[in-house]
Amino acid sequence: MKTKHEQILEFIESLPIGEKLSVRLVAKELKVSEGTAYRAIKEAENSGLVSTIKRVGTIRIESKTGEHIENLTFEEIVNITDAEVHGGLSGLKKTLTKFVIGAMTEEAMLRYISEESLMIIGNREEAQQLSLEHGAAVLITGGFKPSQRVIDIANEKELPLISTSYDTFTVGTMINRAMTDQLIKKEIVRVQSIYTPLEHTQYLNKDDTVYTYRMLNVNSSHSRFPVVHSDNRLVGIVTAKDVVGKEDHVPIEKVMTKNPDHAKKHMSVASIAHTMIWDGLEVMPVVSDELTLIGIISRQDIMKAMQSIQKQPQSGDTISDQINQLINESDNDQFTFSVTPQTTDNMGTISFGVLSEVVTETVYNHLASRNKKNLVVEQMNLHYFNMIQLGNELTIKPSIFDENRRSARLDVQVFSENTLAAKAVVVCQLIQKK
């Protein structure tokens, strides 16, 4: 029999796209407590079934697919520009491929209007109508409101019609930055992209015995198995070490490790890799917000993901990318870095955060040259001795003073004007296949 939580999720999935819902409505419809309804709605939001939009409320949406992750949706434009929705509510989950600033005549605008685009415009009613009729959503800047005629067209075409108090230049800047951010997000691999789902996962019930574990372990590529309750809620994990010397009839519940480390679908692979390396885990359970087992992630999955990331072309520059572009490798395992205005603080000296990133990126580059590409910086102690001024040329000298199969320790010296300006000790965890 399905739990109340599962019944609520099914009810939400049955609602048409664009339907508004609330905690009170769900609680009344399914005769459950408002607390139960709230928790289910939050999970539905995390799963992409519903979305909460400012000044609109919670609405049933179409599930977002992975191939559109690089595109912004009109709903996200509403949040970015703190806008108000006037019409075309059902089109908020549509994606936009470009935005156009309508600083031209209506006749000239026709060359630039296309479907899946956003027209940013002021209080020009004819231009607003023209954009909607040719398949473009409309964002009205300057705090102006649309007429009822334009609202009716937006509803008919199912194209969002929104307005914001910001000026056109500010809005264009905000959306352009958001598009860059989306490209960066696309490069961040998350657990949901690589984990093994439940139907292909081997796991045990807490009422199973050590004998069941041994039979399961015979044909498995790993020796760690999640342990679940009768409702598939994760309650522990069992390993070969736990069952050594135990009789076959002993219940798994007696030997398992309770409250094990686990991952959730929205977590980044980097954060999970850090935990798995540090604790020496070959497998980690993946759970929902309700701690229901939905799959596992293995060290092999992590390795494949990190190798895939290294092959991806850069689409959007992060701060790390920008700093890395300023680092040049010279002879004798040395690196140079020029202090530019963008890397300084308001005193004209290099920012401590930038210096930390320079050291980190140098360590990555140094170890990559030694074919140690799969690594995570675990710890860094950075000491700043002398001020590093704008325009200075830095020489960074990393050297490994301790290394084993799982970790490496490096001493990093930073010279400015031939003087030792900073020194760091960096500890890295190396990812190895098991």
Side-chain angles (χ1 to χ4, degrees), residues 12-21 44-53 58-69 71-76 88-95 116 158:
I12 292 173
E13 285 189 83
S14 69
L15 294 175
I17 305 300
E19 181 81 10
K20 293 182 68 173
L21 68 151
E45 186 172 8
N46 292 334
S47 303
L49 294 175
V50 301
S51 181
T52 302
I53 304 171
T58 302
I59 62 169
R60 170 76 169 93
I61 61 173
E62 188 174 2
S63 297
K64 196 181 289 186
T65 55
E67 62 267 21
H68 294 308
I69 190 170
N71 294 330
L72 283 174
T73 64
F74 293 111
E75 175 200 347
E76 289 164 334
L89 186 66
S90 58
L92 283 173
K93 292 309 296 182
K94 293 179 179 177
T95 59
E116 297 186 348
E158 295 185 344

Side-chain angles (χ1 to χ4, degrees), residues 82-100:
D82 195 24
E84 181 179 354
V85 181
H86 299 282
L89 186 66
S90 58
L92 283 173
K93 292 309 296 182
K94 293 179 179 177
T95 59
L96 65 150
T97 55
K98 68 175 182 177
F99 66 92
V100 181

Side-chain angles (χ1 to χ4, degrees), residues 80-260:
I80 290 164
T81 60
D82 195 24
E84 181 179 354
V85 181
H86 299 282
L89 186 66
S90 58
L92 283 173
K93 292 309 296 182
K94 293 179 179 177
T95 59
L96 65 150
T97 55
K98 68 175 182 177
F99 66 92
V100 181
I101 296 177
M104 58 196 85
T105 64
E106 282 84 355
E107 184 178 351
M109 284 172 58
L110 286 173
R111 294 175 53 197
Y112 302 96
I113 299 174
S114 63
E115 292 185 1
E116 297 186 348
S117 65
L118 175 68
M119 178 60 69
I120 303 173
I121 202 166
N123 59 336
R124 297 168 54 195
E125 185 173 329
E126 295 300 323
Q128 296 166 13
Q129 181 176 337
L130 183 69
S131 300
L132 291 167
E133 288 175 344
H134 286 81
V138 172
L139 170 56
I140 305 171
T141 58
F144 298 105
K145 307 297 181 185
S147 68
Q148 187 58 49
R149 182 178 66 161
V150 176
I151 292 174
D152 291 340
I153 296 173
N155 289 329
E156 179 187 344
K157 299 287 186 179
E158 295 185 344
L159 291 169
L161 174 63
I162 58 182
S163 69
T164 180
S165 58
Y166 292 113
D167 61 87
T168 301
F169 175 79
T170 301
V171 166
T173 303
M174 294 165 80
I175 296 176
N176 190 58
R177 174 61 185 272
M179 285 182 164
T180 300
D181 288 348
Q182 287 296 96
L183 291 174
I184 294 171
K185 286 180 183 178
K186 178 177 179 288
E187 296 170 9
I188 299 174
V189 181
R190 300 191 182 277
V191 171
Q192 63 186 6
S193 303
I194 66 170
Y195 81 101
T196 303
L198 186 64
E199 54 268 26
H200 303 296
T201 300
Q202 294 175 312
Y203 56 95
L204 294 164
N205 191 283
K206 72 181 185 67
D207 297 326
D208 287 332
T209 64
V210 169
Y211 177 78
T212 311
Y213 167 85
R214 287 174 175 147
M215 291 298 99
L216 194 62
N217 194 32
V218 171
N219 298 317
S220 178
S221 59
H222 56 85
S223 60
R224 293 173 62 89
F225 298 99
V227 182
V228 298
H229 197 270
S230 56
D231 58 359
N232 267 16
R233 182 168 51 85
L234 180 70
V235 293
I237 198 158
V238 63
T239 69
K241 181 176 66 176
D242 298 324
V243 303
V244 170
K246 301 296 190 299
E247 298 290 338
D248 284 349
H249 65 272
V250 175
I252 285 294
E253 187 177 16
K254 298 292 185 182
V255 299
M256 71 180 185
T257 300
K258 297 181 180 179
N259 302 317

Side-chain angles (χ1 to χ4, degrees), residues 295-347:
I296 61 170
I297 185 169
S298 68
R299 185 169 297 197
Q300 285 75 15
D301 296 331
I302 298 285
M303 290 289 293
K304 288 177 183 177
M306 296 192 75
Q307 289 165 1
S308 173
I309 291 169
Q310 291 165 7
K311 295 175 183 177
Q312 283 187 0
Q314 293 297 319
S315 301
D317 285 345
T318 63
I319 299 296
S320 296
D321 293 328
Q322 294 170 23
I323 290 174
N324 203 22
Q325 290 167 11
L326 298 173
I327 297 175
N328 298 302
E329 186 171 2
S330 57
D331 297 333
N332 302 321
D333 289 330
Q334 295 183 8
F335 299 82
T336 60
F337 177 84
S338 298
V339 182
T340 63
Q342 289 80 13
T343 61
T344 60
D345 56 23
N346 55 9
M347 300 295 290

Side-chain angles (χ1 to χ4, degrees), residues 4 12-13 77 249 284 330 351 393:
K4 291 181 180 179
I12 292 173
E13 285 189 83
I77 296 296
H249 65 272
M284 185 182 287
S330 57
S351 161
E393 184 86 6

